[in-house]
Amino acid sequence: MASVIEAGWTYLITHFSDFQLACVGSFFLHEAVFFLSGLPFIYIERAGWLKKYKIQAKNNTTEAQEKCITSLLLYHLCVNLPVMLASYPVFSFMGMRSSLPLPSWKVISTQILFYFIVEDFIFYWGHRILHTKWLYKHVHSVHHEYATPFGLTSEYAHPAEILFLGFATIFGPAITGPHLITLWLWMVVRVLETVEAHCGYHFPWSPSNFLPLYGGSDFHDYHHRLIYTKSGNYASTFVYMDWIFGTDHGYRKLKALKNEEVAEFKEN
């Protein structure tokens, strides 16, 4: 397996420059992973499949879904791509490389774990600040246009928010200067995580059923259902910041009540 990955990587670095791989390559990888993982949830909702796993009964209109896709394409081309181009000198200066040998899985996993910790901390506070009255009204309310989220709404936001919270995602890699393959794996994992958190479905195989402290779709869907002053659940991936600062109190209380209802139903 390692030899196959190295052979594929050798082809990339011998046919494309570091700039092309880090900027254009990252952009197309992001688009592919994001839309291929997010689009299926639109069709699942339209077809009415897997209804028993849907968190909210309400469906989005076709017009609302199409608006989201159109806006995303515009944001990605006009915000994400320029940011990738502009950030390349920073990553390059900090030591990012694409050459062989590839880093070990131990190095990759350690760095990605560090990125999760950094991203969770910055995202939590940035997201919480976005829920203050003025910033919510003028910036964050765009993301909350979809009270019933679906996968692609994960990146539907005001351009200022894209820059603000996008900083949380790239800060860890920017200060460590990782190998490009580590950066790509981090981007893939992060995209899949945020799409899952906004998918609107809680499956038996959802990561939150297996990973301790993982938020996931059920945790974040609660955040979208409530008005901004009472939402809580500000976490990005792992929920320990909400637990430490008590901003998941309403969610935990609701879960406890639901569990009691289920227990009573089973007894009767």
Side-chain angles (χ1 to χ4, degrees):
M1 182 64 178
S3 59
V4 174
I5 294 173
E6 285 193 3
W9 197 259
T10 300
Y11 176 85
L12 289 176
I13 62 177
T14 54
H15 287 78
F16 303 97
S17 67
D18 282 359
F19 176 80
Q20 290 172 324
L21 291 173
C23 297
V24 181
S26 296
F27 178 75
F28 281 110
L29 177 63
H30 171 273
E31 297 305 287
V33 174
F34 178 69
F35 283 105
L36 287 176
S37 62
L39 280 172
F41 290 106
I42 285 182
Y43 298 108
I44 290 172
E45 186 178 278
R46 287 184 184 179
W49 299 333
L50 304 174
K51 272 189 174 182
K52 66 178 180 177
Y53 301 122
K54 198 171 188 302
I55 300 169
Q56 297 187 50
K58 179 183 175 182
N59 287 336
N60 291 280
T61 65
T62 301
E63 292 74 21
Q65 292 172 337
E66 290 175 350
K67 177 191 174 185
C68 178
I69 295 172
T70 302
S71 298
L72 284 169
L73 292 172
L74 180 64
Y75 293 157
H76 287 181
L77 286 171
C78 298
V79 181
N80 292 19
L81 181 57
V83 167
M84 288 182 180
L85 295 173
S87 62
Y88 175 75
V90 176
F91 280 93
S92 182
F93 176 77
M94 294 304 294
M96 186 181 71
R97 64 182 182 87
S98 61
S99 58
L100 292 172
L102 297 175
S104 67
W105 284 109
K106 182 178 180 180
V107 169
I108 292 173
S109 57
T110 300
Q111 288 185 327
I112 289 179
L113 176 61
F114 172 70
Y115 301 158
F116 269 120
I117 294 171
V118 171
E119 201 266 348
D120 276 329
F121 180 84
I122 298 175
F123 186 99
Y124 174 85
W125 289 110
H127 191 190
R128 192 167 173 178
I129 290 169
L130 283 171
H131 275 265
T132 54
K133 189 173 182 179
W134 190 91
L135 282 173
Y136 183 89
K137 179 180 178 180
H138 296 283
V139 178
H140 195 48
S141 58
V142 174
H143 181 64
H144 278 268
E145 286 178 22
Y146 294 90
T148 306
F150 52 94
L152 295 182
T153 60
S154 57
E155 295 192 6
Y156 178 84
H158 190 285
E161 179 176 345
I162 295 171
L163 294 173
F164 188 35
L165 294 183
F167 171 78
T169 301
I170 68 171
F171 183 74
I175 63 175
T176 59
H179 193 283
L180 182 59
I181 198 169
T182 304
L183 181 63
W184 280 5
L185 286 171
W186 162 240
M187 181 172 63
V188 168
V189 171
R190 183 70 184 92
V191 168
L192 293 176
E193 179 277 322
T194 193
V195 167
E196 191 276 331
H198 289 81
C199 74
Y201 292 81
H202 185 69
F203 302 110
W205 56 87
S206 293
S208 57
N209 294 328
F210 308 101
L211 297 178
L213 298 177
Y214 184 91
S217 56
D218 187 61
F219 185 85
H220 194 68
D221 201 277
Y222 175 87
H223 175 82
H224 275 263
R225 294 199 303 272
L226 271 67
I227 59 175
Y228 80 94
T229 54
K230 299 180 180 179
S231 57
N233 289 24
Y234 302 116
S236 172
T237 304
F238 296 99
V239 303
Y240 56 89
M241 293 291 288
D242 277 296
W243 179 77
I244 291 171
F245 293 100
T247 46
D248 62 351
H249 178 73
Y251 171 74
R252 299 298 174 193
K253 187 175 181 180
L254 180 64
K255 292 289 287 184
L257 289 172
K258 285 186 176 180
N259 290 336
E260 287 179 10
E261 290 176 0
V262 171
E264 289 178 5
F265 178 78
K266 287 182 177 179
E267 288 178 2
N268 296 329

